[in-house]
């Protein structure tokens, strides 16, 4: 009797669970796929229901539900593969290519979350080709996005570029803001990976605005994290601190352990760059503790690399070697060139700290080999060409749309003209004078509109040209940076850095032009102040060592004059910062620019050690450059070396504008 009551109680519990499922299934016609309401059933209830003797269709729908439900939590991702494995064993799934691809996509997604990138990539390639062939745009774009992101993390930049451009085009054509924001964020990560930081920041900002527009908190947290890392690399620690604090607040609000793992890792990197090594170590340790509870061994490896770097800074070389060697665990499943490159570099530094120069050299050679494959010059040039082609296609597409709109407008205008002409003909005898006046007035207004449009188009094109020139100069500077990494000659590196400084002095002009209304002249006060700040940063000169004083008139001069004048000023200030104050000698540097008697007067002086003009080689490139540019500007050049060094440049005839 007692046993019968116990059995009845158990049956009641089972019936209650089944009843809740059947009620929901009955709402859908003919037991529609359970996935439509999978959010309402927890994973443990799905496991219990699968143990009961259900119909074939209900059992299959529960398996689909379980596979997708398991992906929602990092701690249950591995269960997805159990569900998909059972699904693929069913004959009706094996005979249906669409169902097989659905199972393979879930399987690939699970492997990506767990850090098994090689296996995930192989599976997503099959999905990508199938969805492209069947024109399933949503799944096609999803697969391409996963492939592009994983190739970025593995350091395979050229392959990543192709997939990410493909995703961007697909989502842009769909008009899906969420997906477009995710694709834009992916492109930004790619640009960041190949050291094109300004393009990366532009894309990150664009993605952040879209996520804010649709109020996607997780997307905003992701972009804030990426911006924090980028600004840390650029040495702009104030901006990095802001974006990382925003990420920490958002991920704490969402309670996403995955996001908090990135937060503590990136915060530790910022503290390391700030020289706060003990804080950096604690932050990286917190990140590792979080990530060890999650399935992705790729992210765990990232934390170990960060820990090893800080341990080296703290002088704990043996502990650093242990963490760096753990990078090689499960490497065949990730095959990340970036992680391999980092491990070799860290091992080289650690053994150098231990004075084991033989091992340090061996690991440095391995690091250089991987670096050459990641930052291969030919590969960078190919990526740059594809990037330029992508932007050109985007621009041509926008122009084509504008042309179509213009043609439609012209047709409408033509039809209206014919209507007016026919009406005017009927009233010609009684209103000839009025029609004549109307036509003259209309023609005059049309010409004014055409002139206004032509002027507006000209301004847009000039602004675009200056923007492109600035971007191209930035790209040249990035290529010089990459080239400098592979050069051991100190004199060659100095020459490359000086070239980058000259390029930056010209880029500042074009940056100023496309950001203001006047597209033909530049404000000298803003330009020379920015140039001085750039040079102080380039030569790592603090204002405590060399006090900078500027007295610059608020005037505007044309680009043809400012480019050579800026290059001359760049050379003069660079020479002062390099040679006038040796051995951390303190001093003053003063820059004066005045508009006088329809001319221009520039004076750069320092109270440094000075120099003997006879000892300066006539073959010196900087010296020849200053003399050549002064001759080009028809300027008078005066140099005094009695008390420090003073250089005066006087231009007697120049059209300038003075601002109040």
């Amino acid at each position: 009797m007692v046993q019968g009551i116990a059995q009845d109680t158990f049956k009641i519990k089972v019936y209650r669970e089944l009843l809740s499922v059947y009620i929901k299934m009955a709402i859908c016609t003919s037991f529609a796929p359970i996935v439509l309401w999978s959010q309402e059933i927890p994973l443990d209830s799905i496991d219990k229901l699968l143990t009961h003797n259900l119909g074939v269709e209900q059992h299959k729908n529960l398996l689909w539900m379980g596979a997708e439900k398991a992906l929602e939590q990092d701690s249950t991702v591995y269960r997805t593969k159990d569900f998909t494995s059972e699904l693929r064993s069913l004959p009706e799934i094996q005979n249906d290519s669409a169902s097989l691809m659905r199972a393979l996509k879930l399987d690939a997604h699970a492997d990506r979350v767990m850090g098994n990138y090689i296996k995930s990539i192989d599976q997503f390639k099959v999905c990508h080709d199938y969805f492209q062939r069947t024109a399933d745009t949503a799944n096609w774009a999803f697969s391409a996005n996963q492939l592009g992101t994983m190739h970025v993390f593995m350091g395979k930049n050229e392959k990543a570029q192709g997939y990410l451009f493909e995703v961007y085009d697909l989502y842009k054509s769909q008009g899906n803001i969420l997906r477009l924001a995710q694709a834009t964020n992916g492109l930004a990560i790619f640009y960041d990976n190949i050291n094109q930081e300004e393009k990366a920041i532009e894309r990150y900002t664009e993605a952040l605005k879209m996520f804010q527009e649709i109020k996607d908190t997780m997307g905003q947290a992701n972009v804030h994290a990426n911006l924090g890392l980028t600004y840390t690399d650029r040495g702009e620690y104030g901006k990095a601190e802001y974006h990382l604090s925003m990420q920490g607040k958002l991920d704490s609000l969402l309670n996403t352990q995955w996001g908090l793992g990135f937060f503590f890792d990136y915060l530790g990197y910022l503290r390391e760059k700030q020289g706060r090594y003990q804080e950096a170590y604690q932050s990286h340790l917190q990140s590792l503790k979080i990530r060890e509870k999650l399935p992705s061994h790729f992210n765990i490896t990232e934390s170990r690399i960060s820990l090893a770097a800080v341990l080296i800074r703290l002088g704990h070389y043996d502990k650093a070697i242990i963490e760096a060697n753990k990078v090689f665990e499960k490497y065949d499943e990730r095959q990340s060139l970036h992680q391999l490159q980092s491990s070799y570099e860290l091992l080289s530094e650690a053994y150098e700290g231990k004075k084991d120069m033989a091992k340090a050299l061996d690991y440095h050679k391995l690091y250089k080999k991987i670096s050459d494959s990641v930052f291969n010059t030919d590969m960078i040039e190919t990526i740059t060409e594809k990037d330029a082609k992508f932007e050109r296609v985007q621009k041509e597409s926008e122009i084509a749309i504008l042309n179509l709109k213009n043609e439609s407008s012209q047709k409408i205008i033509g039809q209206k003209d014919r209507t007016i002409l026919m009406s005017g003909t009927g009233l010609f005898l009684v209103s000839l004078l009025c029609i004549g006046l109307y036509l003259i007035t209309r023609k005059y207004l049309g010409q004014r509109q055409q002139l206004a449009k032509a002027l507006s188009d000209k301004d847009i094109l000039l602004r675009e040209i200056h923007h492109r020139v600035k971007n191209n100069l930035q790209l040249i500077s990035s290529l010089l940076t990459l080239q400098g990494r592979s050069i051991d000659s100190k004199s060659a590196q100095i020459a490359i850095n000086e070239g980058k400084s000259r390029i930056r002095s010209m880029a500042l002009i074009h940056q100023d032009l496309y950001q203001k209304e006047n597209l033909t002249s530049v404000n000298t006060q803003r330009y020379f102040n920015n140039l001085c700040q750039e040079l102080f940063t380039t030569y790592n000169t603090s204002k405590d060592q060399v006090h900078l004083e500027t007295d610059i008139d608020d005037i505007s001069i044309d680009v043809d004059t400012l480019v050579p004048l800026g290059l001359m000023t760049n050379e003069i200030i660079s020479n002062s910062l390099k040679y006038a104050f040796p051995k951390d000698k303190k001093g003053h540097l003063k820059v004066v620019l005045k508009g006088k008697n329809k001319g221009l007067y520039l004076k750069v002086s320092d109270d440094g050690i000075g120099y003997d003009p006879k000892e300066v080689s006539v073959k010196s490139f900087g010296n020849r450059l200053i003399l050549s540019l002064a001759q080009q500007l028809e300027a008078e050049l005066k140099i005094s070396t009695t008390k420090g060094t003073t250089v005066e440049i006087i231009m007697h005839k120049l059209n300038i504008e003075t601002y109040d």
Side-chain angles (χ1 to χ4, degrees):
M1 181 70 175
V2 174
Q3 184 178 5
I5 294 172
Q7 289 176 346
D8 289 342
T9 303
F10 172 75
K11 288 179 181 179
I12 290 170
K13 290 181 179 179
V14 172
Y15 290 153
R16 282 177 179 172
E17 289 188 12
L18 288 173
L19 182 60
S20 67
V21 173
Y22 290 149
I23 289 172
K24 292 170 181 174
M25 292 175 70
I27 295 173
C28 307
T29 306
S30 301
F31 298 101
I34 300 176
V35 71
L36 293 175
W37 38 268
S38 61
Q39 297 292 333
E40 301 174 16
I41 301 180
L43 192 60
D44 55 350
S45 295
I46 295 173
D47 288 331
K48 290 178 182 178
L49 290 171
L50 285 170
T51 62
H52 301 309
N53 188 21
L54 303 174
V56 175
E57 193 65 24
Q58 292 93 319
H59 186 82
K60 183 178 68 175
N61 287 335
L62 282 169
L63 289 174
W64 284 120
M65 185 198 305
E68 295 181 349
K69 192 74 178 177
L71 275 173
E72 295 175 6
Q73 299 292 330
D74 290 332
S75 59
T76 60
V77 167
Y78 71 96
R79 293 294 316 281
T80 295
K81 299 177 72 65
D82 296 334
F83 291 118
T84 55
S85 176
E86 185 174 349
L87 279 165
R88 287 201 297 268
S89 68
L90 300 175
E92 59 267 35
I93 300 295
Q94 293 174 357
N95 296 325
D96 181 8
S97 60
S99 296
L100 275 175
M101 284 302 110
R102 180 184 174 189
L104 186 63
K105 188 187 82 167
L106 291 169
D107 222 359
H109 195 177
D111 277 318
R112 187 262 164 101
V113 174
M114 292 189 290
N116 303 325
Y117 284 0
I118 297 301
K119 188 174 181 181
S120 180
I121 284 174
D122 289 340
Q123 294 170 323
F124 267 125
K125 279 181 179 177
V126 176
C127 294
H128 173 271
D129 294 342
Y130 173 83
F131 294 133
Q132 185 180 31
R133 190 170 59 253
T134 57
D136 185 345
T137 308
N139 283 315
W140 172 14
F142 178 84
S143 303
N145 192 37
Q146 296 292 324
L147 287 166
T149 303
M150 284 188 284
H151 278 106
V152 167
F153 293 153
M154 293 171 66
K156 298 179 179 178
N157 296 317
E158 192 172 356
K159 289 184 178 179
Q161 183 187 40
Y163 285 119
L164 291 173
F165 282 172
E166 183 179 324
V167 174
Y168 187 88
D169 285 335
L170 286 169
Y171 284 145
K172 192 170 185 180
S173 64
Q174 292 176 359
N176 187 320
I177 297 179
L178 171 62
R179 298 303 183 192
L180 185 59
Q182 292 169 343
T184 306
N185 186 45
L187 274 177
I189 295 171
F190 164 75
Y191 287 128
D192 215 351
N193 230 33
I194 60 173
N195 295 325
Q196 292 194 21
E197 293 172 345
E198 289 199 1
K199 272 193 173 182
I201 290 172
E202 287 180 7
R203 291 290 188 177
Y204 281 139
T205 305
E206 184 181 345
L208 183 59
K209 287 179 180 177
M210 286 189 277
F211 282 128
Q212 289 170 340
E213 181 182 343
I214 59 176
K215 295 180 174 57
D216 187 309
T217 307
M218 186 172 292
Q220 292 177 52
N222 192 356
V223 178
H224 278 302
N226 294 333
L227 279 168
L229 187 62
T230 303
Y231 280 121
T232 300
D233 284 331
R234 288 168 65 92
E236 298 180 44
Y237 301 139
K239 292 180 180 179
E241 193 92 38
Y242 164 76
H243 287 290
L244 289 179
S245 66
M246 288 298 297
Q247 183 220 345
K249 290 177 183 177
L250 293 172
D251 278 326
S252 298
L253 182 66
L254 295 169
N255 194 27
T256 53
Q257 296 301 300
W258 177 84
L260 289 172
F262 277 97
F263 168 71
F264 285 109
D265 190 37
Y266 290 175
L267 184 63
Y269 181 58
L270 173 60
R271 296 292 178 253
E272 179 189 344
K273 288 292 186 180
Q274 292 173 322
R276 296 155 65 175
Y277 300 128
Q278 197 59 46
E279 291 179 51
Y281 175 76
Q282 294 299 327
S283 190
H284 287 312
L285 204 60
Q286 181 68 16
S287 173
L288 181 61
K289 288 179 181 178
I290 292 173
R291 286 173 166 177
E292 282 180 331
K293 297 176 182 178
L294 303 176
S296 176
H297 52 81
F298 182 94
N299 291 339
I300 292 172
T301 303
E302 288 291 298
S303 288
R304 295 198 183 283
I305 289 171
S306 300
L307 268 177
V310 175
L311 286 168
I312 290 173
R313 304 292 175 265
L314 292 170
H316 303 321
Y317 302 116
D318 289 326
K319 290 182 179 179
I321 290 169
I322 292 172
E323 294 296 338
N325 277 317
K326 289 180 180 179
V327 174
F328 303 109
E329 296 175 5
K330 295 186 178 181
Y331 178 75
D332 290 340
E333 298 175 13
R334 300 187 309 274
Q335 294 189 19
S336 170
L337 293 177
H338 282 302
Q339 290 185 343
L340 193 62
Q341 177 191 17
S342 298
S343 65
Y344 286 145
E345 183 181 18
L346 292 169
L347 286 167
S348 175
E349 290 181 18
Y351 279 112
E352 184 179 357
K354 286 168 62 71
K355 308 302 181 185
D356 189 343
M357 296 307 175
K359 285 188 177 180
L361 180 60
D362 289 341
Y363 281 114
H364 182 72
K365 288 178 180 178
L366 291 170
Y367 161 71
K368 289 290 292 181
K369 184 178 179 181
I370 297 297
S371 296
D372 290 342
S373 64
V374 173
F375 294 103
N376 180 274
T377 303
D378 293 337
M379 180 269 290
I380 291 293
E381 289 177 354
T382 301
I383 287 174
T384 303
E385 290 173 2
K386 289 183 178 178
D387 188 42
K389 183 179 179 181
F390 173 74
E391 289 191 357
R392 187 171 66 251
V393 169
Q394 293 290 318
K395 189 63 66 179
E396 288 174 353
S397 175
E398 292 172 4
I399 291 171
I401 292 171
L402 288 173
N403 286 336
L404 285 173
K405 290 182 178 179
N406 185 50
E407 289 176 4
S408 298
S409 298
Q410 292 297 328
K411 288 180 180 178
I412 293 170
I413 291 171
Q415 290 173 355
K416 288 183 178 179
D417 288 344
R418 286 192 294 272
T419 303
I420 291 170
L421 183 60
M422 291 174 64
S423 300
T425 303
L427 299 172
F428 179 74
L429 295 175
V430 293
S431 57
L432 181 60
L433 181 59
C434 294
I435 291 174
L437 290 173
Y438 166 76
L439 291 174
I440 292 171
T441 303
R442 186 172 177 274
K443 183 179 180 181
Y444 169 72
L445 292 174
Q447 288 175 342
R448 284 192 60 183
Q449 289 176 351
Q450 289 175 358
L451 286 171
K453 185 177 183 301
L455 286 172
S456 176
D457 290 345
K458 175 190 171 185
D459 282 352
I460 292 170
L461 288 172
L462 280 174
R463 203 177 302 279
E464 181 69 17
I465 287 168
H466 286 303
H467 194 182
R468 293 300 176 114
V469 170
K470 189 270 292 184
N471 282 348
N472 288 337
L473 288 171
Q474 179 63 33
L475 178 59
I476 292 170
S477 181
S478 298
L479 289 172
L480 285 173
T481 301
L482 294 176
Q483 186 67 38
R485 291 178 180 174
S486 61
I487 294 175
D488 296 327
S489 170
K490 188 174 181 180
S491 61
Q493 288 180 346
I494 291 172
I496 285 175
N497 288 334
E498 289 177 348
K500 286 168 57 182
S501 178
R502 293 172 185 128
I503 289 168
R504 185 59 181 161
S505 72
M506 292 186 288
L508 284 172
I509 295 172
H510 293 282
Q511 179 176 315
D512 188 276
L513 283 170
Y514 80 77
Q515 290 177 342
K516 57 196 285 290
E517 293 299 323
N518 190 343
L519 298 172
T520 58
S521 60
V522 177
N523 176 257
T524 54
Q525 195 174 75
R526 180 170 54 249
Y527 170 71
F528 280 96
N529 282 330
N530 288 340
L531 180 60
C532 291
Q533 290 175 8
E534 289 275 348
L535 289 170
F536 267 67
T537 302
T538 299
Y539 292 102
N540 197 23
T541 304
S542 70
K543 293 183 179 179
D544 293 333
Q545 181 192 351
V546 179
H547 176 70
L548 174 65
E549 182 181 351
T550 60
D551 183 8
I552 300 168
D553 281 355
D554 194 11
I555 60 177
S556 181
I557 60 177
D558 63 281
V559 179
D560 290 339
T561 301
L562 190 57
V563 168
L565 192 63
L567 286 170
M568 291 170 70
T569 308
N570 180 81
E571 293 299 320
I572 297 167
I573 296 176
S574 295
N575 287 336
S576 291
L577 295 179
K578 286 192 293 183
Y579 305 118
F581 308 102
K583 299 181 180 179
D584 297 329
K585 174 182 171 62
K586 294 187 177 182
H588 291 77
L589 177 67
K590 185 172 182 179
V591 180
V592 178
L593 182 73
K594 297 290 180 181
K596 291 185 177 180
N597 301 324
K598 296 185 178 180
L600 197 67
Y601 173 75
L602 173 66
K603 177 182 175 182
V604 181
S605 58
D606 65 64
D607 59 357
I609 62 173
Y611 70 96
D612 186 353
K614 296 178 181 178
E615 295 180 359
V616 178
S617 173
V618 294
K619 295 182 179 179
S620 166
F621 178 75
N623 188 41
R624 285 188 291 136
L625 180 61
I626 292 172
L627 293 173
S628 175
L629 292 172
Q631 187 177 5
Q632 177 185 329
L633 291 173
E634 298 180 357
E636 183 181 348
L637 180 65
K638 296 180 181 180
I639 301 175
S640 172
T641 60
T642 53
K643 294 181 180 180
T645 302
T646 300
V647 180
E648 295 176 284
I649 299 168
I650 305 167
M651 300 175 64
H652 297 290
K653 293 182 180 180
L654 182 68
N655 291 326
I656 60 175
E657 298 175 15
T658 303
Y659 293 88
D660 293 329

